Structures are given as C-alpha cells and as structure tokens.
Amino acid sequence: MAATGRIRGTRWPGAWRWRRNPLRRRSDRLEAWLVLGIWAFVLLAGVFGGRAVAGVVDQALAAHRARSHAARAVLTQDAGRTPTALPGYGEGGMWAQVSWTASGSPHTGLARVQPGTKSGTAVTVWTDRSGALVSRPATADQARTQAQVVGTLAGMAAAAGVLVCGRLLRGRLDRRRMEAWDREWEWVGPQWRRTAG
C-alpha cells in the first residue's frame, strides 16, 4: 500500500481509518466516525438551515407585501433639483413632504420623489393598515431572489459552523492522542534506553 492512504483503488485520503489493521487505535476508529458524522451534519445543516432561513425570509417579505398598500399622496413642497440620499435608504431621488388620507384621517411624511417635482403633484406612497408610511414592498420575484440569497448564505454559515465545531473536536482528539503517546513514551522510553545501551 502506498503512503498516500489509498486502499484497493480508493482515493479518499481518510480511508485508512476504516481498514482492519492491528496498529489502528480506538481513537482512529473514533476519528473515522467523527469525520463521517461531521460531513453528514455539514450537509444537513447547509441544506435544511438554508431552506429554513429562506422560508422565513420569504414569509416575512410576503407578510410585508400583504400589509402594504399603495396610496395617492400630494407633494406639499417643491422637491429640490439635486438628488440626495438618506442613510439606509439608497441613492437618488429627493425627499419631500407629502400628505395623504388614510382611514379618513390626514397624514404627512417624507417620501422620495423625482428631483424638481413641483408642489401639488400626485405621487404614490406605500402605507400600512394604520396609514403610516412604509417602504415599498418587494415584488414576488424580488422576494424569491432575496430569500434564495439569504438562505444560501445562512446555509453556508451553518455548514461552516459545523465544520469549525468538527475541527475543534478533532483537535481535542489529537491532543488526547498526544497525551496518551507521551504517557506511553514515559513508560517505554527508559526501558528502550537500557536495552539500547
């Protein structure tokens, strides 16, 4: 057998742990099962974790879409001509004061409009059931894309977390093996020196 760990045509480098060998230690068998379990959990965490998070994101966006309603508003001031951006609201457009009526009561607030829009111009705003302004909801296609992206990232993070935990477990197993080796060497080393000398 070559030193690369190949066994009867097997190219998996860790396959030696599964082969019957009188020198194989109990910790080698444990590590073989540990590696197999880690990769199974990586797959499960990645797939099921990603799908679960994607489902939650999709439901949240659908709920926001269901609670949001388009309403007709009127600018109460002229919009400036130079586009501005507020932190967290993206680039472009102008923020101007608008008024609208919801549930029979008047409301005012800031809405993003095209630069140079004159006072009295009708614009579309998005409100919740109480009439308060909300962000424009994502379309079904946009929501699906966002859910897939977030789900993929969450699945990758879950899989990476399992890999890190597995690496920590294998590191602990390696430390225990080295400690056992040190104990055995403390017992065998002096005897070896006597027979060699």
Side-chain angles (χ1 to χ4, degrees):
M1 173 176 156
T4 60
R6 293 183 183 173
I7 301 168
R8 296 181 189 154
T10 303
R11 294 180 185 261
W12 182 44
W16 64 269
R17 292 181 185 94
W18 295 97
R19 188 183 70 179
R20 290 187 184 273
N21 184 330
L23 298 177
R24 184 178 66 177
R25 299 164 293 185
R26 181 174 171 245
S27 62
D28 294 330
R29 288 190 300 272
L30 178 62
E31 185 176 20
W33 285 105
L34 182 64
V35 168
L36 184 65
I38 288 168
W39 283 108
F41 277 117
V42 163
L43 182 64
L44 291 173
V47 171
F48 291 112
R51 288 181 64 97
V53 170
V56 168
V57 170
D58 193 41
Q59 287 176 356
L61 293 173
H64 177 65
R65 202 167 41 249
R67 289 190 309 264
S68 302
H69 306 284
R72 183 179 178 276
V74 176
L75 259 69
T76 58
Q77 66 182 45
D78 291 345
R81 297 202 174 276
T82 305
T84 59
L86 291 179
Y89 289 95
E91 295 292 328
M94 294 297 303
W95 291 89
Q97 191 79 22
V98 296
S99 65
W100 68 97
T101 302
S103 303
S105 59
H107 296 273
T108 59
L110 288 176
R112 191 164 49 184
V113 297
Q114 292 297 320
T117 306
K118 298 291 183 191
S119 177
T121 303
V123 294
T124 301
V125 295
W126 292 88
T127 64
D128 61 13
R129 290 187 180 123
S130 68
L133 286 177
V134 295
S135 60
R136 181 185 184 115
T139 65
D141 288 339
Q142 291 170 337
R144 188 169 29 259
T145 301
Q146 288 179 26
Q148 288 171 350
V149 169
V150 173
T152 299
L153 293 174
M156 290 169 60
V162 172
L163 278 175
V164 168
C165 290
R167 185 64 201 129
L168 292 174
L169 287 173
R170 287 183 68 193
R172 184 173 179 187
L173 184 61
D174 284 340
R175 281 193 301 276
R176 289 181 65 187
R177 277 194 286 228
M178 293 304 289
E179 289 167 2
W181 192 8
D182 287 342
R183 284 192 303 271
E184 290 175 18
W185 184 250
E186 286 174 7
W187 183 75
V188 172
Q191 295 178 9
W192 192 7
R193 281 191 218 107
R194 277 196 300 260
T195 58

